[in-house]
């Protein structure tokens, strides 16, 4: 994986949004959207259903809302979260996804669900954004390249979605796949990875309440560069497990292939749990730079979610299963 750090001096302290500013902003956006809706009905042509900066309705607070994180974990700004990205389908530089994904049209969208389950089928984007199913999940996000952010995602628990398809006893793993369409995803025209981007989780990891399918951030539909219209977020694992623009989910008995493991097996294992004690072969994982901060901070075991997930890995040698 390429490493290209944004210099700390590139980031202004004022870019960081405090929780109260975030909440005020959300209130403002809601009001603006309501006002805008009235206006649209009378004077403006109807906007496409999926447009950047569209607020999502009925987002519930959750146990992982902003209050769940300590004071020293402030939420990163919208600007940081949406302009410093890894999404190789739109280029390998950190600013490429924002530049190159604007034309991408993530609608209509369906995810095929297949494999070891009693009721294979589809999930549409509309299914996922039904009011009162969406939750705010403010999670630490730790990239394998040793930078991190705090992101106010909006999503649905992955386990709730998977259960609908009635996975069978053979469903020991879940495989995820990104759209393969070099016309719409120009980065796929170069053999940077073995496209389509692939990821996988063990079934109990997928069912853990922390794992979500994210459809939004900052209370709005997810911008293209962050994985529109639906991406995985698994906050105790390195960021590359959080696969974007998902079109396929498959329950299976065997451990699935994953893109970064296929690209460099010695460097990227299947589990990829955030673990400060296990080095990447080329750099330490003991500390990280929070985007927007100058000094490094210590990386926490399982990215700070030890209480919720350590039980998934008892009796496993995490040096071997990195
Ligand atoms: N998913 C796809 N399809 N393609 C990618 O290149 N990059 C991964 C992950 N999901 C990637 C992807 C990596 S390396 C990271 S760190 C996160 O997305 C970045 O998510 P963000 O841009 O929202 O911060």
């Amino acid at each position: 994986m390429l490493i290209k750090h944004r210099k700390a001096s590139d980031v202004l302290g004022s870019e960081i949004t405090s929780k109260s500013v975030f909440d005020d902003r959300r209130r403002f956006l809601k009001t603006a959207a309501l006002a805008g809706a009235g206006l649209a009905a009378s004077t403006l042509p109807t906007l496409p259903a999926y447009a950047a900066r569209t607020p999502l309705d009925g987002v519930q607070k959750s146990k992982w809302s902003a209050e769940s994180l300590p004071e020293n974990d402030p939420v990163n700004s919208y600007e940081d979260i949406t302009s410093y990205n890894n999404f190789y389908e739109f280029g390998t530089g950190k600013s490429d996804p924002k530049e190159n994904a604007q034309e991408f049209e993530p609608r209509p969208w369906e995810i095929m669900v297949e494999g070891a389950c009693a009721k294979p089928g589809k999930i549409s984007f509309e299914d996922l954004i039904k009011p009162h199913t969406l939750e705010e999940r403010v999670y630490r996000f730790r990239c394998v390249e040793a930078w991190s952010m705090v992101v106010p995602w909006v999503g649905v628990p992955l386990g709730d979605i998977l259960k609908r398809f009635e996975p069978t006893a053979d469903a020991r793993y879940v495989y995820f796949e990104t759209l393969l369409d070099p016309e719409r995803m120009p980065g796929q025209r170069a053999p940077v990875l073995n496209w389509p981007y692939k990821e996988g989780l063990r079934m109990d990891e997928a069912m853990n309440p922390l794992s979500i399918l994210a459809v939004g951030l900052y209370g709005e539909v997810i911008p293209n560069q962050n994985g529109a219209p639906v991406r995985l977020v698994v906050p105790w694992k390195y960021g590359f497990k959080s696969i974007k623009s998902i079109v396929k989910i498959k329950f299976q008995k065997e451990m699935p292939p994953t893109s970064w493991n296929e690209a460099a097996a010695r460097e990227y294992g299947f589990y990829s749990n955030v673990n400060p004690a296990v080095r990447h072969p080329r750099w330490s994982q003991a500390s990280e730079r929070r985007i927007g901060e100058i000094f490094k901070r210590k990386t926490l075991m399982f990215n700070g979610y030890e209480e919720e997930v350590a039980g998934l890995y008892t009796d496993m040698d995490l040096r071997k299963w990195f």
Side-chain angles (χ1 to χ4, degrees):
M1 196 168 293
L2 305 174
I3 322 177
K4 199 171 146 208
H5 290 297
R6 185 181 180 191
K7 292 200 304 293
S9 55
D10 291 343
V11 184
L12 297 173
S14 59
E15 280 181 54
I16 308 298
T17 312
S18 71
K19 193 190 145 334
S20 60
V21 172
F22 167 36
D23 287 345
D24 282 344
R25 203 170 140 277
R26 281 190 50 182
R27 265 193 294 280
F28 167 77
L29 283 166
K30 272 228 145 100
T31 319
L34 288 174
L39 197 65
S42 57
T43 58
L44 297 172
T46 319
L47 288 168
Y50 190 102
R53 315 301 313 247
T54 305
L56 285 162
D57 281 339
V59 180
Q60 315 277 311
K61 287 264 174 203
S62 76
K63 156 177 173 196
W64 294 278
S65 286
E67 301 76 12
S68 68
L69 288 173
E71 287 273 295
N72 69 348
D73 267 332
V75 181
N76 276 91
S77 69
Y78 185 87
E79 178 61 19
D80 279 342
I81 296 168
T82 60
S83 60
Y84 189 81
N85 301 102
N86 276 330
F87 198 174
Y88 280 19
E89 284 83 343
F90 294 100
T92 55
K94 294 285 180 277
S95 56
D96 290 346
K98 184 176 177 181
E99 265 168 45
N100 301 333
Q102 295 314 313
E103 301 298 308
F104 181 67
E105 179 53 78
R107 293 289 290 279
W109 198 270
E110 279 181 341
I111 304 176
M112 300 296 298
V113 184
E114 57 188 56
C117 59
K119 293 189 172 160
K122 292 174 187 170
I123 312 167
S124 70
F125 178 70
E126 287 71 24
D127 280 346
L128 289 172
I129 59 161
K130 289 215 177 89
H132 312 300
T133 59
L134 296 178
E135 292 182 17
E136 180 184 88
R137 298 286 187 105
V138 183
Y139 285 154
R140 292 182 201 93
F141 187 77
R142 168 64 158 82
C143 181
V144 72
E145 298 160 331
W147 52 265
S148 63
M149 294 198 202
V150 173
V151 184
W153 303 109
V154 175
V156 288
L158 175 64
D160 290 354
I161 303 290
L162 296 184
K163 270 189 238 158
R164 292 192 205 161
F165 299 89
E166 301 184 10
T168 63
D170 277 348
R172 292 175 49 207
Y173 294 91
V174 196
Y175 167 74
F176 301 85
E177 203 175 275
T178 295
L179 176 70
L180 177 64
D181 188 342
E183 289 287 310
R184 294 161 72 196
M185 295 183 145
Q188 289 178 339
R189 293 174 208 160
V192 185
L193 286 169
N194 182 14
W195 310 112
Y197 197 97
K198 310 169 190 69
E199 258 309 334
L201 294 174
R202 213 172 56 193
M203 195 64 189
D204 56 350
E205 298 177 322
M207 300 307 286
N208 186 279
L210 283 179
S211 303
I212 57 166
L213 285 177
V215 294
L217 57 86
Y218 266 107
E220 303 169 4
V221 294
I222 199 163
N224 288 347
Q225 60 268 36
N226 291 87
V230 51
R231 55 98 53 90
L232 185 68
V233 179
V234 199
W236 72 96
K237 292 180 180 280
Y238 293 119
F240 66 89
K241 298 295 284 182
S242 293
I243 180 172
K244 298 176 168 180
S245 306
I246 300 168
V247 290
K248 184 159 137 184
I249 295 181
K250 186 174 178 193
F251 298 104
Q252 57 186 64
K253 201 169 187 174
E254 308 76 35
M255 186 180 273
T258 69
S259 285
W260 282 103
N261 183 256
E262 277 183 346
R266 225 175 61 79
E267 304 192 6
Y268 309 108
F270 175 81
Y271 284 93
S272 292
N273 291 318
V274 174
N275 188 341
V278 176
R279 282 180 57 83
H280 180 280
R282 291 184 281 134
W283 59 85
S284 160
Q285 293 291 21
S287 64
E288 68 202 51
R289 194 173 69 78
R290 180 66 52 84
I291 298 299
E293 291 180 358
I294 293 167
F295 299 109
K296 285 191 168 180
R297 43 170 83 209
K298 279 192 175 154
T299 288
L300 305 172
M301 187 63 198
F302 296 117
N303 204 22
Y305 300 98
E306 195 165 8
E307 204 176 299
E308 289 97 331
V309 301
L312 298 170
Y313 309 104
T314 40
D315 304 329
M316 273 177 74
D317 178 354
L318 296 180
R319 285 183 185 279
K320 182 174 169 214
W321 300 105
F322 59 93

